[in-house]
Amino acid sequence: MGYSFNNKNVFKFASAKNSDVVMCESSLEFDACFHHEYNDEIESFGSQPEGFKYQFNGKTLPYTPDALIKYKNGIEVYHEYKPYSKISSPLFREKFKAKRTASLMLGRELILVTDRQIRINPILNNLKLLHRYSGVYGVNDIQQKLLKCIQQTGMIKFNDISHQFNLPVGEARSFLYALIHKGFVKADLGSECLSENPTLWSAL
């Protein structure tokens, strides 16, 4: 949810990966954070990093990328987030090309990311659902039993394990989605809705 700050809407993303809150200037930037948070290849990510200058039509102009992404392999890239409807104009494309050239000279690639890449479902809804359970710390006794059952079964449907342990759906989600968030249990976030009856398996 955004709030007014210096006449701008600011969205706050609580990141366990960064151990900090990421301040986002748009809802699209905020939604991108869910992908970064659950991308195992990304070490950290931040919003509105230190900007740089670029040359365009004989002028030197300032530019601040929307995000700086740091990967575990040491590569760092800038992201600019834009609705797909905004990227077709020749002026935007020429200016972005100039920004990218300046960025590459600094040793970082500038990547354009649109809402069509970020707002893909079911994966975005799944990541938002997982994030809701990210504040559940530790692994309790029931979760240990659920995890052991999943490991022994190999693959199991959410409803089956919920019935097997006689758990209400809400309680089962709390336990199991926290295990997914912690990396103990896996689900196909790209094709199955976590809010329905996904297949679960052990990540260990």
Side-chain angles (χ1 to χ4, degrees), residues 105-166:
M105 290 177 68
L106 296 172
R108 292 178 179 139
E109 186 177 3
L110 174 62
I111 299 171
L112 178 62
V113 186
T114 73
D115 52 345
R116 290 190 179 184
Q117 294 163 282
I118 294 169
R119 289 173 174 158
I120 302 170
N121 282 312
I123 189 166
L124 180 59
N125 286 339
N126 284 338
L127 296 178
K128 287 185 173 184
L129 190 57
L130 283 184
H131 193 257
R132 201 179 301 166
Y133 294 98
S134 63
V136 182
Y137 297 103
V139 177
N140 62 30
D141 291 342
I142 296 176
Q143 285 175 304
Q144 294 279 12
K145 291 175 182 175
L146 291 170
L147 187 54
K148 187 176 180 181
C149 175
I150 294 170
Q151 288 170 335
Q152 290 174 342
T153 308
M155 296 184 105
I156 190 168
K157 284 287 189 180
F158 172 88
N159 287 348
D160 291 340
I161 195 166
S162 175
H163 294 151
Q164 193 170 322
F165 283 82
N166 198 26

Short mmCIF file of all heavy atoms in Angstrom, two decimals, residues 105-166:
data_model
loop_
_atom_site.label_atom_id
_atom_site.label_comp_id
_atom_site.label_asym_id
_atom_site.label_seq_id
_atom_site.Cartn_x
_atom_site.Cartn_y
_atom_site.Cartn_z
N MET A 105 29.18 1.91 -19.75
CA MET A 105 30.49 2.52 -19.53
C MET A 105 30.87 2.48 -18.05
O MET A 105 32.05 2.51 -17.70
CB MET A 105 30.50 3.97 -20.04
CG MET A 105 30.46 4.07 -21.56
SD MET A 105 30.37 5.77 -22.16
CE MET A 105 32.00 6.36 -21.69
N LEU A 106 29.85 2.38 -17.19
CA LEU A 106 30.09 2.26 -15.75
C LEU A 106 30.24 0.80 -15.32
O LEU A 106 30.45 0.52 -14.14
CB LEU A 106 28.92 2.90 -14.97
CG LEU A 106 28.74 4.41 -15.16
CD1 LEU A 106 27.44 4.86 -14.50
CD2 LEU A 106 29.92 5.17 -14.58
N GLY A 107 30.11 -0.12 -16.29
CA GLY A 107 30.29 -1.53 -15.98
C GLY A 107 29.04 -2.27 -15.58
O GLY A 107 29.10 -3.40 -15.11
N ARG A 108 27.88 -1.63 -15.75
CA ARG A 108 26.60 -2.29 -15.43
C ARG A 108 25.64 -2.16 -16.60
O ARG A 108 25.51 -1.10 -17.20
CB ARG A 108 25.96 -1.65 -14.19
CG ARG A 108 26.72 -1.90 -12.90
CD ARG A 108 26.03 -1.19 -11.75
NE ARG A 108 26.71 -1.42 -10.49
CZ ARG A 108 26.91 -0.50 -9.56
NH1 ARG A 108 26.47 0.73 -9.77
NH2 ARG A 108 27.54 -0.79 -8.44
N GLU A 109 24.96 -3.25 -16.90
CA GLU A 109 23.94 -3.22 -17.95
C GLU A 109 22.66 -2.61 -17.40
O GLU A 109 22.29 -2.85 -16.25
CB GLU A 109 23.67 -4.64 -18.47
CG GLU A 109 22.74 -4.67 -19.66
CD GLU A 109 22.51 -6.06 -20.21
OE1 GLU A 109 23.03 -7.03 -19.62
OE2 GLU A 109 21.81 -6.18 -21.23
N LEU A 110 21.99 -1.81 -18.21
CA LEU A 110 20.68 -1.26 -17.86
C LEU A 110 19.62 -2.06 -18.61
O LEU A 110 19.63 -2.11 -19.85
CB LEU A 110 20.59 0.22 -18.23
CG LEU A 110 19.22 0.90 -18.06
CD1 LEU A 110 18.78 0.89 -16.60
CD2 LEU A 110 19.26 2.34 -18.60
N ILE A 111 18.73 -2.68 -17.87
CA ILE A 111 17.72 -3.57 -18.47
C ILE A 111 16.33 -2.96 -18.31
O ILE A 111 15.94 -2.54 -17.21
CB ILE A 111 17.77 -4.96 -17.79
CG1 ILE A 111 19.15 -5.59 -18.02
CG2 ILE A 111 16.67 -5.87 -18.34
CD1 ILE A 111 19.37 -6.86 -17.23
N LEU A 112 15.59 -2.92 -19.39
CA LEU A 112 14.21 -2.44 -19.37
C LEU A 112 13.28 -3.60 -19.06
O LEU A 112 13.31 -4.63 -19.73
CB LEU A 112 13.84 -1.82 -20.73
CG LEU A 112 12.41 -1.32 -20.89
CD1 LEU A 112 12.11 -0.19 -19.91
CD2 LEU A 112 12.17 -0.86 -22.33
N VAL A 113 12.47 -3.44 -18.02
CA VAL A 113 11.55 -4.49 -17.59
C VAL A 113 10.14 -3.90 -17.60
O VAL A 113 9.90 -2.85 -17.02
CB VAL A 113 11.89 -5.02 -16.18
CG1 VAL A 113 11.01 -6.22 -15.83
CG2 VAL A 113 13.36 -5.40 -16.08
N THR A 114 9.20 -4.58 -18.28
CA THR A 114 7.84 -4.06 -18.39
C THR A 114 6.87 -4.82 -17.49
O THR A 114 7.18 -5.86 -16.94
CB THR A 114 7.33 -4.13 -19.84
OG1 THR A 114 7.05 -5.50 -20.16
CG2 THR A 114 8.35 -3.57 -20.81
N ASP A 115 5.66 -4.27 -17.40
CA ASP A 115 4.62 -4.91 -16.60
C ASP A 115 4.26 -6.29 -17.15
O ASP A 115 3.83 -7.17 -16.39
CB ASP A 115 3.36 -4.03 -16.52
CG ASP A 115 2.86 -3.58 -17.89
OD1 ASP A 115 3.61 -3.69 -18.88
OD2 ASP A 115 1.72 -3.10 -17.97
N ARG A 116 4.48 -6.51 -18.44
CA ARG A 116 4.18 -7.82 -19.03
C ARG A 116 5.12 -8.90 -18.52
O ARG A 116 4.80 -10.09 -18.56
CB ARG A 116 4.25 -7.75 -20.56
CG ARG A 116 3.12 -6.94 -21.19
CD ARG A 116 3.13 -7.12 -22.69
NE ARG A 116 2.04 -6.38 -23.33
CZ ARG A 116 1.77 -6.42 -24.63
NH1 ARG A 116 2.52 -7.17 -25.42
NH2 ARG A 116 0.78 -5.72 -25.12
N GLN A 117 6.31 -8.50 -18.07
CA GLN A 117 7.27 -9.44 -17.51
C GLN A 117 7.09 -9.62 -16.00
O GLN A 117 7.41 -10.66 -15.45
CB GLN A 117 8.69 -8.95 -17.80
CG GLN A 117 9.06 -8.94 -19.27
CD GLN A 117 10.28 -8.09 -19.54
OE1 GLN A 117 10.22 -6.87 -19.59
NE2 GLN A 117 11.42 -8.73 -19.70
N ILE A 118 6.58 -8.57 -15.35
CA ILE A 118 6.45 -8.58 -13.89
C ILE A 118 5.10 -9.12 -13.44
O ILE A 118 5.03 -9.97 -12.54
CB ILE A 118 6.65 -7.15 -13.33
CG1 ILE A 118 8.09 -6.69 -13.58
CG2 ILE A 118 6.32 -7.10 -11.84
CD1 ILE A 118 8.32 -5.21 -13.32
N ARG A 119 4.04 -8.64 -14.07
CA ARG A 119 2.69 -8.99 -13.62
C ARG A 119 2.16 -10.22 -14.36
O ARG A 119 1.14 -10.18 -15.05
CB ARG A 119 1.77 -7.78 -13.77
CG ARG A 119 2.12 -6.71 -12.74
CD ARG A 119 1.39 -5.43 -12.90
NE ARG A 119 1.70 -4.54 -11.78
CZ ARG A 119 1.56 -3.22 -11.82
NH1 ARG A 119 1.10 -2.63 -12.92
NH2 ARG A 119 1.87 -2.48 -10.76
N ILE A 120 2.91 -11.31 -14.18
CA ILE A 120 2.54 -12.60 -14.78
C ILE A 120 1.93 -13.46 -13.68
O ILE A 120 2.52 -13.61 -12.60
CB ILE A 120 3.78 -13.32 -15.34
CG1 ILE A 120 4.48 -12.45 -16.39
CG2 ILE A 120 3.40 -14.66 -15.95
CD1 ILE A 120 5.82 -12.99 -16.81
N ASN A 121 0.78 -14.02 -13.95
CA ASN A 121 0.16 -14.92 -12.97
C ASN A 121 0.03 -16.32 -13.55
O ASN A 121 -0.03 -16.49 -14.76
CB ASN A 121 -1.21 -14.36 -12.56
CG ASN A 121 -1.03 -13.23 -11.57
OD1 ASN A 121 -0.28 -13.35 -10.60
ND2 ASN A 121 -1.69 -12.11 -11.82
N PRO A 122 0.08 -17.35 -12.67
CA PRO A 122 -0.09 -17.25 -11.22
C PRO A 122 1.15 -16.86 -10.41
O PRO A 122 1.05 -16.69 -9.21
CB PRO A 122 -0.53 -18.67 -10.82
CG PRO A 122 0.19 -19.54 -11.80
CD PRO A 122 0.17 -18.77 -13.11
N ILE A 123 2.31 -16.70 -11.05
CA ILE A 123 3.53 -16.58 -10.25
C ILE A 123 3.53 -15.35 -9.34
O ILE A 123 3.92 -15.45 -8.17
CB ILE A 123 4.79 -16.61 -11.15
CG1 ILE A 123 6.04 -16.71 -10.26
CG2 ILE A 123 4.86 -15.42 -12.09
CD1 ILE A 123 7.29 -17.09 -10.99
N LEU A 124 3.10 -14.17 -9.83
CA LEU A 124 3.14 -12.98 -8.97
C LEU A 124 2.20 -13.14 -7.77
O LEU A 124 2.58 -12.83 -6.64
CB LEU A 124 2.77 -11.73 -9.76
CG LEU A 124 2.80 -10.42 -8.95
CD1 LEU A 124 4.17 -10.17 -8.33
CD2 LEU A 124 2.37 -9.24 -9.82
N ASN A 125 0.99 -13.64 -8.01
CA ASN A 125 0.06 -13.87 -6.89
C ASN A 125 0.63 -14.88 -5.90
O ASN A 125 0.47 -14.73 -4.67
CB ASN A 125 -1.30 -14.36 -7.40
CG ASN A 125 -2.11 -13.24 -8.04
OD1 ASN A 125 -1.86 -12.07 -7.78
ND2 ASN A 125 -3.05 -13.61 -8.88
N ASN A 126 1.31 -15.90 -6.42
CA ASN A 126 1.94 -16.91 -5.54
C ASN A 126 3.03 -16.29 -4.68
O ASN A 126 3.14 -16.55 -3.48
CB ASN A 126 2.53 -18.05 -6.38
CG ASN A 126 1.48 -18.99 -6.92
OD1 ASN A 126 0.36 -19.07 -6.39
ND2 ASN A 126 1.80 -19.71 -7.96
N LEU A 127 3.86 -15.45 -5.30
CA LEU A 127 4.96 -14.81 -4.55
C LEU A 127 4.41 -13.87 -3.49
O LEU A 127 4.95 -13.77 -2.39
CB LEU A 127 5.87 -14.05 -5.51
CG LEU A 127 6.62 -14.91 -6.55
CD1 LEU A 127 7.46 -14.02 -7.47
CD2 LEU A 127 7.50 -15.95 -5.87
N LYS A 128 3.32 -13.18 -3.81
CA LYS A 128 2.70 -12.28 -2.83
C LYS A 128 2.12 -13.07 -1.66
O LYS A 128 2.20 -12.64 -0.50
CB LYS A 128 1.60 -11.43 -3.49
CG LYS A 128 2.16 -10.36 -4.40
CD LYS A 128 1.07 -9.44 -4.95
CE LYS A 128 1.68 -8.28 -5.71
NZ LYS A 128 0.68 -7.31 -6.19
N LEU A 129 1.56 -14.24 -1.98
CA LEU A 129 1.01 -15.10 -0.93
C LEU A 129 2.13 -15.62 -0.03
O LEU A 129 2.01 -15.62 1.20
CB LEU A 129 0.26 -16.26 -1.57
CG LEU A 129 -0.60 -17.14 -0.64
CD1 LEU A 129 -1.64 -16.30 0.09
CD2 LEU A 129 -1.29 -18.23 -1.44
N LEU A 130 3.24 -16.05 -0.63
CA LEU A 130 4.39 -16.52 0.16
C LEU A 130 4.92 -15.41 1.05
O LEU A 130 5.27 -15.64 2.21
CB LEU A 130 5.51 -16.99 -0.77
CG LEU A 130 5.37 -18.35 -1.43
CD1 LEU A 130 6.63 -18.66 -2.23
CD2 LEU A 130 5.12 -19.45 -0.41
N HIS A 131 4.99 -14.20 0.50
CA HIS A 131 5.53 -13.07 1.25
C HIS A 131 4.70 -12.76 2.49
O HIS A 131 5.22 -12.28 3.50
CB HIS A 131 5.62 -11.85 0.33
CG HIS A 131 6.43 -10.73 0.90
ND1 HIS A 131 5.87 -9.61 1.45
CD2 HIS A 131 7.78 -10.57 1.02
CE1 HIS A 131 6.83 -8.80 1.87
NE2 HIS A 131 7.99 -9.36 1.62
N ARG A 132 3.41 -13.07 2.39
CA ARG A 132 2.52 -12.83 3.53
C ARG A 132 2.91 -13.70 4.72
O ARG A 132 2.64 -13.36 5.87
CB ARG A 132 1.08 -13.16 3.09
CG ARG A 132 0.01 -12.52 3.96
CD ARG A 132 -1.37 -12.88 3.45
NE ARG A 132 -1.60 -12.46 2.07
CZ ARG A 132 -2.60 -12.89 1.33
NH1 ARG A 132 -3.46 -13.76 1.81
NH2 ARG A 132 -2.74 -12.45 0.09
N TYR A 133 3.53 -14.84 4.45
CA TYR A 133 3.93 -15.76 5.53
C TYR A 133 5.42 -15.65 5.86
O TYR A 133 5.95 -16.47 6.58
CB TYR A 133 3.60 -17.20 5.13
CG TYR A 133 2.11 -17.44 5.00
CD1 TYR A 133 1.50 -17.40 3.75
CD2 TYR A 133 1.31 -17.67 6.12
CE1 TYR A 133 0.13 -17.60 3.62
CE2 TYR A 133 -0.05 -17.86 6.00
CZ TYR A 133 -0.63 -17.83 4.75
OH TYR A 133 -1.99 -18.02 4.62
N SER A 134 6.08 -14.62 5.34
CA SER A 134 7.53 -14.50 5.53
C SER A 134 7.91 -14.11 6.95
O SER A 134 9.06 -14.27 7.35
CB SER A 134 8.11 -13.48 4.55
OG SER A 134 7.57 -12.19 4.80
N GLY A 135 6.95 -13.60 7.71
CA GLY A 135 7.26 -13.18 9.09
C GLY A 135 7.15 -14.31 10.09
O GLY A 135 7.36 -14.11 11.29
N VAL A 136 6.81 -15.52 9.62
CA VAL A 136 6.70 -16.67 10.52
C VAL A 136 8.09 -17.26 10.72
O VAL A 136 8.67 -17.84 9.81
CB VAL A 136 5.75 -17.74 9.92
CG1 VAL A 136 5.60 -18.91 10.89
CG2 VAL A 136 4.39 -17.13 9.62
N TYR A 137 8.63 -17.08 11.93
CA TYR A 137 10.02 -17.50 12.19
C TYR A 137 10.07 -18.89 12.80
O TYR A 137 9.14 -19.33 13.47
CB TYR A 137 10.70 -16.50 13.12
CG TYR A 137 10.82 -15.13 12.51
CD1 TYR A 137 9.96 -14.10 12.89
CD2 TYR A 137 11.77 -14.87 11.53
CE1 TYR A 137 10.05 -12.84 12.30
CE2 TYR A 137 11.88 -13.62 10.93
CZ TYR A 137 11.01 -12.61 11.33
OH TYR A 137 11.11 -11.38 10.75
N GLY A 138 11.21 -19.56 12.57
CA GLY A 138 11.40 -20.89 13.16
C GLY A 138 10.57 -21.94 12.46
O GLY A 138 9.72 -21.66 11.61
N VAL A 139 10.82 -23.19 12.82
CA VAL A 139 10.05 -24.33 12.30
C VAL A 139 9.53 -25.09 13.50
O VAL A 139 10.29 -25.66 14.27
CB VAL A 139 10.94 -25.24 11.42
CG1 VAL A 139 10.15 -26.45 10.94
CG2 VAL A 139 11.50 -24.47 10.23
N ASN A 140 8.20 -25.09 13.68
CA ASN A 140 7.62 -25.72 14.87
C ASN A 140 7.46 -27.23 14.68
O ASN A 140 7.77 -27.78 13.62
CB ASN A 140 6.29 -25.06 15.26
CG ASN A 140 5.23 -25.18 14.17
OD1 ASN A 140 5.23 -26.15 13.41
ND2 ASN A 140 4.34 -24.21 14.09
N ASP A 141 6.96 -27.90 15.72
CA ASP A 141 6.83 -29.36 15.71
C ASP A 141 5.93 -29.87 14.59
O ASP A 141 6.22 -30.87 13.93
CB ASP A 141 6.31 -29.86 17.07
CG ASP A 141 7.34 -29.67 18.17
OD1 ASP A 141 8.53 -29.49 17.83
OD2 ASP A 141 6.96 -29.70 19.36
N ILE A 142 4.80 -29.17 14.39
CA ILE A 142 3.86 -29.59 13.34
C ILE A 142 4.53 -29.46 11.96
O ILE A 142 4.40 -30.35 11.11
CB ILE A 142 2.56 -28.75 13.39
CG1 ILE A 142 1.83 -29.01 14.72
CG2 ILE A 142 1.66 -29.07 12.20
CD1 ILE A 142 0.58 -28.17 14.90
N GLN A 143 5.26 -28.37 11.75
CA GLN A 143 5.94 -28.18 10.47
C GLN A 143 7.00 -29.27 10.25
O GLN A 143 7.19 -29.72 9.13
CB GLN A 143 6.59 -26.79 10.42
CG GLN A 143 5.57 -25.67 10.20
CD GLN A 143 6.24 -24.32 10.28
OE1 GLN A 143 6.89 -23.97 11.26
NE2 GLN A 143 6.07 -23.52 9.24
N GLN A 144 7.67 -29.68 11.32
CA GLN A 144 8.65 -30.77 11.21
C GLN A 144 7.97 -32.05 10.74
O GLN A 144 8.49 -32.77 9.88
CB GLN A 144 9.33 -31.01 12.57
CG GLN A 144 10.20 -29.86 13.07
CD GLN A 144 11.58 -29.84 12.44
OE1 GLN A 144 11.85 -30.54 11.47
NE2 GLN A 144 12.46 -29.03 12.98
N LYS A 145 6.78 -32.33 11.28
CA LYS A 145 6.02 -33.53 10.90
C LYS A 145 5.53 -33.42 9.45
O LYS A 145 5.56 -34.40 8.69
CB LYS A 145 4.85 -33.73 11.85
CG LYS A 145 5.27 -34.12 13.26
CD LYS A 145 4.08 -34.19 14.19
CE LYS A 145 4.51 -34.53 15.63
NZ LYS A 145 3.39 -34.51 16.58
N LEU A 146 5.07 -32.21 9.06
CA LEU A 146 4.61 -31.99 7.69
C LEU A 146 5.76 -32.19 6.71
O LEU A 146 5.61 -32.84 5.67
CB LEU A 146 4.05 -30.57 7.54
CG LEU A 146 2.74 -30.26 8.26
CD1 LEU A 146 2.45 -28.76 8.21
CD2 LEU A 146 1.58 -31.03 7.65
N LEU A 147 6.92 -31.66 7.08
CA LEU A 147 8.10 -31.77 6.22
C LEU A 147 8.53 -33.22 6.07
O LEU A 147 8.86 -33.68 4.97
CB LEU A 147 9.23 -30.93 6.81
CG LEU A 147 10.51 -30.77 5.99
CD1 LEU A 147 10.20 -30.26 4.59
CD2 LEU A 147 11.48 -29.85 6.70
N LYS A 148 8.51 -33.96 7.17
CA LYS A 148 8.89 -35.38 7.14
C LYS A 148 7.94 -36.17 6.25
O LYS A 148 8.36 -37.03 5.47
CB LYS A 148 8.88 -35.95 8.55
CG LYS A 148 9.44 -37.37 8.64
CD LYS A 148 9.50 -37.85 10.08
CE LYS A 148 10.06 -39.27 10.16
NZ LYS A 148 10.10 -39.77 11.56
N CYS A 149 6.65 -35.85 6.34
CA CYS A 149 5.64 -36.52 5.51
C CYS A 149 5.88 -36.25 4.03
O CYS A 149 5.83 -37.15 3.20
CB CYS A 149 4.25 -36.05 5.91
SG CYS A 149 2.92 -36.69 4.87
N ILE A 150 6.18 -34.99 3.69
CA ILE A 150 6.43 -34.61 2.30
C ILE A 150 7.68 -35.31 1.78
O ILE A 150 7.72 -35.81 0.65
CB ILE A 150 6.55 -33.08 2.16
CG1 ILE A 150 5.21 -32.41 2.48
CG2 ILE A 150 7.01 -32.69 0.75
CD1 ILE A 150 5.28 -30.91 2.62
N GLN A 151 8.71 -35.38 2.61
CA GLN A 151 9.95 -36.06 2.22
C GLN A 151 9.72 -37.54 1.95
O GLN A 151 10.26 -38.11 0.99
CB GLN A 151 11.01 -35.88 3.31
CG GLN A 151 11.56 -34.47 3.41
CD GLN A 151 12.42 -34.26 4.65
OE1 GLN A 151 12.27 -34.95 5.66
NE2 GLN A 151 13.32 -33.29 4.60
N GLN A 152 8.91 -38.17 2.78
CA GLN A 152 8.64 -39.61 2.63
C GLN A 152 7.73 -39.90 1.44
O GLN A 152 7.88 -40.93 0.78
CB GLN A 152 8.02 -40.15 3.93
CG GLN A 152 8.99 -40.19 5.10
CD GLN A 152 8.32 -40.60 6.41
OE1 GLN A 152 7.10 -40.54 6.54
NE2 GLN A 152 9.12 -41.00 7.40
N THR A 153 6.80 -38.99 1.17
CA THR A 153 5.84 -39.19 0.09
C THR A 153 6.45 -38.89 -1.28
O THR A 153 6.10 -39.51 -2.27
CB THR A 153 4.60 -38.28 0.30
OG1 THR A 153 4.10 -38.47 1.61
CG2 THR A 153 3.50 -38.60 -0.70
N GLY A 154 7.36 -37.94 -1.31
CA GLY A 154 7.95 -37.52 -2.58
C GLY A 154 7.23 -36.31 -3.12
O GLY A 154 7.77 -35.22 -3.17
N MET A 155 5.96 -36.50 -3.52
CA MET A 155 5.12 -35.39 -3.97
C MET A 155 3.73 -35.60 -3.38
O MET A 155 3.25 -36.73 -3.30
CB MET A 155 5.03 -35.32 -5.49
CG MET A 155 6.34 -35.03 -6.19
SD MET A 155 6.14 -34.86 -7.98
CE MET A 155 6.29 -33.11 -8.17
N ILE A 156 3.12 -34.50 -2.95
CA ILE A 156 1.79 -34.62 -2.34
C ILE A 156 0.99 -33.35 -2.61
O ILE A 156 1.55 -32.25 -2.68
CB ILE A 156 1.92 -34.88 -0.81
CG1 ILE A 156 0.56 -35.26 -0.21
CG2 ILE A 156 2.55 -33.69 -0.09
CD1 ILE A 156 0.65 -35.79 1.20
N LYS A 157 -0.31 -33.52 -2.78
CA LYS A 157 -1.19 -32.38 -2.98
C LYS A 157 -1.44 -31.68 -1.65
O LYS A 157 -1.50 -32.31 -0.60
CB LYS A 157 -2.52 -32.82 -3.58
CG LYS A 157 -2.46 -33.16 -5.07
CD LYS A 157 -2.31 -31.88 -5.89
CE LYS A 157 -2.45 -32.13 -7.38
NZ LYS A 157 -2.30 -30.87 -8.14
N PHE A 158 -1.62 -30.36 -1.72
CA PHE A 158 -1.86 -29.56 -0.52
C PHE A 158 -3.05 -30.09 0.27
O PHE A 158 -2.98 -30.28 1.49
CB PHE A 158 -2.09 -28.09 -0.91
CG PHE A 158 -2.53 -27.22 0.24
CD1 PHE A 158 -1.59 -26.60 1.06
CD2 PHE A 158 -3.87 -27.01 0.52
CE1 PHE A 158 -1.98 -25.81 2.13
CE2 PHE A 158 -4.28 -26.23 1.58
CZ PHE A 158 -3.33 -25.62 2.39
N ASN A 159 -4.17 -30.34 -0.43
CA ASN A 159 -5.38 -30.80 0.27
C ASN A 159 -5.17 -32.15 0.95
O ASN A 159 -5.72 -32.41 2.03
CB ASN A 159 -6.56 -30.90 -0.70
CG ASN A 159 -7.08 -29.53 -1.11
OD1 ASN A 159 -6.72 -28.52 -0.50
ND2 ASN A 159 -7.91 -29.49 -2.14
N ASP A 160 -4.36 -33.02 0.33
CA ASP A 160 -4.13 -34.35 0.89
C ASP A 160 -3.38 -34.27 2.22
O ASP A 160 -3.74 -34.95 3.19
CB ASP A 160 -3.33 -35.22 -0.09
CG ASP A 160 -4.15 -35.58 -1.32
OD1 ASP A 160 -5.39 -35.50 -1.24
OD2 ASP A 160 -3.55 -35.92 -2.36
N ILE A 161 -2.34 -33.42 2.26
CA ILE A 161 -1.58 -33.32 3.51
C ILE A 161 -2.38 -32.57 4.57
O ILE A 161 -2.29 -32.86 5.76
CB ILE A 161 -0.19 -32.67 3.27
CG1 ILE A 161 0.71 -32.92 4.49
CG2 ILE A 161 -0.30 -31.19 2.96
CD1 ILE A 161 2.17 -32.62 4.24
N SER A 162 -3.21 -31.63 4.14
CA SER A 162 -4.08 -30.90 5.07
C SER A 162 -5.07 -31.86 5.74
O SER A 162 -5.27 -31.84 6.96
CB SER A 162 -4.83 -29.79 4.32
OG SER A 162 -5.75 -29.16 5.17
N HIS A 163 -5.68 -32.76 4.93
CA HIS A 163 -6.63 -33.75 5.46
C HIS A 163 -5.92 -34.79 6.33
O HIS A 163 -6.42 -35.19 7.37
CB HIS A 163 -7.37 -34.44 4.31
CG HIS A 163 -8.26 -33.52 3.54
ND1 HIS A 163 -8.56 -33.70 2.20
CD2 HIS A 163 -8.89 -32.38 3.91
CE1 HIS A 163 -9.35 -32.73 1.79
NE2 HIS A 163 -9.57 -31.91 2.81
N GLN A 164 -4.73 -35.21 5.89
CA GLN A 164 -3.99 -36.24 6.60
C GLN A 164 -3.65 -35.81 8.04
O GLN A 164 -3.68 -36.61 8.96
CB GLN A 164 -2.69 -36.53 5.84
CG GLN A 164 -1.97 -37.79 6.30
CD GLN A 164 -0.83 -38.16 5.36
OE1 GLN A 164 -0.94 -38.00 4.15
NE2 GLN A 164 0.26 -38.63 5.91
N PHE A 165 -3.37 -34.53 8.21
CA PHE A 165 -3.04 -34.01 9.54
C PHE A 165 -4.22 -33.31 10.21
O PHE A 165 -4.06 -32.70 11.27
CB PHE A 165 -1.85 -33.04 9.43
CG PHE A 165 -0.52 -33.74 9.27
CD1 PHE A 165 -0.11 -34.17 8.01
CD2 PHE A 165 0.30 -34.00 10.35
CE1 PHE A 165 1.10 -34.83 7.84
CE2 PHE A 165 1.51 -34.65 10.19
CZ PHE A 165 1.92 -35.08 8.94
N ASN A 166 -5.38 -33.40 9.54
CA ASN A 166 -6.62 -32.82 10.09
C ASN A 166 -6.45 -31.33 10.41
O ASN A 166 -6.83 -30.85 11.48
CB ASN A 166 -7.04 -33.58 11.35
CG ASN A 166 -8.51 -33.32 11.70
OD1 ASN A 166 -9.31 -32.99 10.82
ND2 ASN A 166 -8.84 -33.43 12.98
#
